[in-house]
């Protein structure tokens, strides 16, 4: 067998690649569980099926999907234009830090304006954090991959400083966490006894917004052209720097809102372990979803399920929580590998046979 470049990319493999990656992840996961001395099929059931086997599990899936989807929405527009924002995690954390600080300041405030101000503060914080990367890229041509990754670590350390310092609960028995947020600063839940909040509607609304932007607006056309060829976009008269600023700021704002959906939703306070990797997992969501709104929604559900499955496996199988990251890593690895089949294909024969034929 030899690898041959296709005359044009395979549209079928574009959509089959994520399914094939998921299948390979399941096979590898079963093998992993077997090597760990756990029943493979039973463990896969515990990881992928048991967490959503009842209504409460489905509601918890919606809780996990919400921040993933919000982060992925912002990243989709960036990646569509080949602006490689790897900093959604840092923008999420910084949005949580500032949004949490505002929530604590408004603990004694009342009124319908409280929640909008908190959501706006989180969005603005994420926007500002992404703006640092936009400035470095447009002014100094600094690689956005490197700058956004480094900003992630800075944001995490700022959060640690906050919960160990000025935002630490004075009555928290010296635990590094903030006070619990007041009830009026929390996002309303949809149903009693469930944790899913109105943030899921914000995420779904923004999903429709980016679908309209990508398919029905001039901006969507500009993003596609810029993604195909930056030089072509410049020759067409598109303002590349303006687009970079717009995309990174929007992506940061979405990550900041995602942070509020978590801190002012199920968590209800600032804690040092707030960073669960939603910003990184959202990158997998975007590529698995093929940068299409419906695909992003489905991929968010799958990645959200890995968080629930990891927690369930810890409880039921006694495995470490790193099992979640392991499954996410396998999924990304196989997705990248399977994506090669979009532009290349396996055909019978060998390179040696071709050389002999040419001679």
């Amino acid at each position: 067998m030899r690898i041959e470049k296709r005359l044009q990319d395979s549209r079928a493999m574009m959509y089959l690649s994520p399914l094939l990656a998921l299948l390979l992840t399941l096979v590898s996961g079963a093998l992993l569980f077997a090597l760990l001395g756990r029943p493979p099929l039973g463990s896969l059931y515990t990881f992928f099926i048991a967490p959503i086997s009842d209504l409460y599990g489905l509601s918890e899936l919606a809780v996990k999907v919400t921040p993933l989807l919000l982060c992925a929405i912002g990243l989709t527009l960036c990646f569509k234009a080949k602006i490689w924002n790897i900093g959604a995690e840092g923008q999420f954390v910084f949005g949580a830090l500032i949004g949490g600080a505002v929530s604590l300041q408004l603990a004694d405030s009342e009124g319908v304006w409280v929640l909008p101000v908190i959501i706006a503060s989180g969005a603005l914080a994420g926007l500002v954090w992404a703006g640092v990367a936009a400035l470095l890229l447009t002014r100094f041509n600094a690689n956005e991959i490197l700058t956004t990754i480094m900003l992630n670590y800075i944001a995490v350390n700022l959060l640690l400083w906050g919960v160990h310092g000025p935002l630490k609960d004075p009555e928290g028995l010296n635990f590094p966490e903030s006070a619990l947020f007041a009830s009026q600063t929390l996002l309303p839940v949809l149903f009693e006894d469930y944790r899913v909040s109105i943030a899921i509607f914000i995420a779904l609304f923004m999903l429709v917004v980016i679908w309209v932007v990508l398919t029905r607006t001039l901006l969507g056309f500009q993003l596609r052209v810029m993604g195909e060829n930056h030089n072509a976009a410049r020759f067409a008269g598109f303002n590349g720097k303006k687009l970079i600023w717009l995309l990174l700021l929007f992506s940061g704002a979405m990550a900041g809102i995602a942070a509020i959906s978590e801190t002012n939703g199920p968590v209800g306070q600032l804690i040092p372990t707030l960073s669960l990797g939603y910003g990184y997992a959202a990158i997998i969501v975007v590529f698995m979803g093929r940068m299409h709104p419906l695909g992003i929604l489905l991929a968010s559900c799958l990645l959200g399920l890995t968080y629930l499955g990891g927690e369930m496996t810890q409880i039921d199988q006694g495995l470490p929580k790193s099992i979640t990251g392991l499954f996410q890593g396998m999924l990304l690895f196989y997705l990248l590998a399977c994506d090669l089949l979009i532009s290349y294909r396996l055909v019978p024969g060998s390179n040696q046979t071709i050389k002999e034929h040419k001679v």
Side-chain angles (χ1 to χ4, degrees):
M1 298 292 289
R2 61 185 175 86
I3 298 177
E4 179 181 81
K5 185 171 178 60
R6 298 179 188 270
L7 296 178
Q8 61 182 12
D9 289 351
S10 170
R11 187 174 181 84
M13 279 307 304
M14 177 74 71
Y15 298 103
L16 288 175
S17 176
L19 298 177
L20 183 57
L22 176 58
L23 178 61
L24 291 172
T25 300
L26 291 174
V27 173
S28 299
L31 180 60
L32 174 66
F33 285 129
L35 292 174
L36 292 173
R38 307 298 196 280
L41 295 181
S43 297
L44 286 178
Y45 178 87
T46 301
F47 196 94
F48 287 104
I49 305 299
I52 53 172
S53 58
D54 56 21
L55 190 58
Y56 181 79
L58 290 173
S59 71
E60 285 298 294
L61 178 62
V63 170
K64 298 296 184 185
V65 164
T66 300
L68 277 173
L69 190 55
L70 285 166
C71 289
I73 285 169
L75 292 178
T76 295
L77 297 188
C78 283
F79 292 173
K80 201 76 173 178
K82 288 188 169 56
I83 305 300
W84 305 115
N85 175 19
I86 315 298
E89 183 74 3
Q91 293 146 25
F92 177 96
V93 171
F94 193 68
L97 175 63
I98 301 303
V102 172
S103 298
L104 293 172
Q105 289 296 317
L106 298 179
D108 298 323
S109 301
E110 298 285 348
V112 295
W113 57 271
V114 172
L115 268 179
V117 166
I118 292 172
I119 295 172
S121 68
L124 184 61
L127 179 150
V128 168
W129 207 243
V132 176
L135 176 65
L136 293 173
L137 175 58
T138 57
R139 183 69 183 272
F140 304 103
N141 200 30
N143 186 286
E144 72 272 21
I145 298 176
L146 297 178
T147 56
T148 51
I149 288 176
M150 288 188 290
L151 285 168
N152 289 344
Y153 294 104
I154 296 173
V156 170
N157 281 284
L158 285 175
L159 174 64
L160 293 175
W161 167 77
V163 296
H164 283 86
L167 301 180
K168 186 177 180 180
D169 183 5
E171 300 178 0
L173 301 177
N174 209 33
F175 285 101
E177 58 188 24
S178 75
L180 293 173
F181 296 158
S183 59
Q184 72 273 14
T185 65
L186 298 177
L187 296 169
V189 295
L190 298 182
F191 307 102
E192 192 176 354
D193 299 327
Y194 297 97
R195 301 196 303 163
V196 59
S197 72
I198 60 170
I200 187 65
F201 291 131
I202 298 175
L204 293 175
F205 173 75
M206 292 308 302
L207 194 66
V208 175
V209 168
I210 67 159
W211 178 79
V212 173
V213 168
L214 289 173
T215 60
R216 298 289 189 272
T217 66
L218 175 61
L219 176 60
F221 174 71
Q222 291 177 333
L223 298 186
R224 292 194 297 274
V225 173
M226 190 172 177
E228 291 294 330
N229 192 310
H230 280 228
N231 290 328
R234 187 173 65 253
F235 292 145
F238 300 156
N239 190 328
K241 289 186 177 181
K242 182 179 178 180
L243 282 174
I244 290 171
W245 272 98
L246 178 63
L247 296 177
L248 281 172
L249 293 183
F250 175 77
S251 182
M254 288 296 98
I257 296 174
I260 299 301
S261 77
E262 188 75 2
T263 56
N264 293 67
V267 178
Q269 63 179 150
L270 289 178
I271 54 176
T273 56
L274 184 64
S275 176
L276 296 175
Y278 288 128
Y280 295 122
I283 297 172
I284 306 176
V285 167
V286 174
F287 284 107
M288 280 211 73
R290 294 310 183 209
M291 303 186 200
H292 187 281
L294 179 58
I296 291 169
L297 178 60
L298 295 175
S300 295
C301 292
L302 176 60
L303 268 293
L305 185 55
T306 63
Y307 284 103
L308 294 181
E311 294 171 0
M312 184 70 75
T313 307
Q314 290 177 61
I315 297 170
D316 190 67
Q317 305 281 351
L319 295 176
K321 68 176 183 178
S322 56
I323 194 74
T324 297
L326 185 58
F327 266 86
Q328 291 177 354
M330 287 193 297
L331 193 59
L332 178 60
F333 173 80
Y334 285 127
L335 179 65
L336 295 174
C338 293
D339 277 356
L340 289 174
L341 298 176
I342 297 173
S343 301
Y344 295 86
R345 61 181 176 181
L346 296 174
V347 295
S350 65
N351 292 331
Q352 183 66 30
T353 304
I354 296 175
K355 290 178 182 177
E356 291 175 356
H357 178 72
K358 288 181 178 180
V359 173

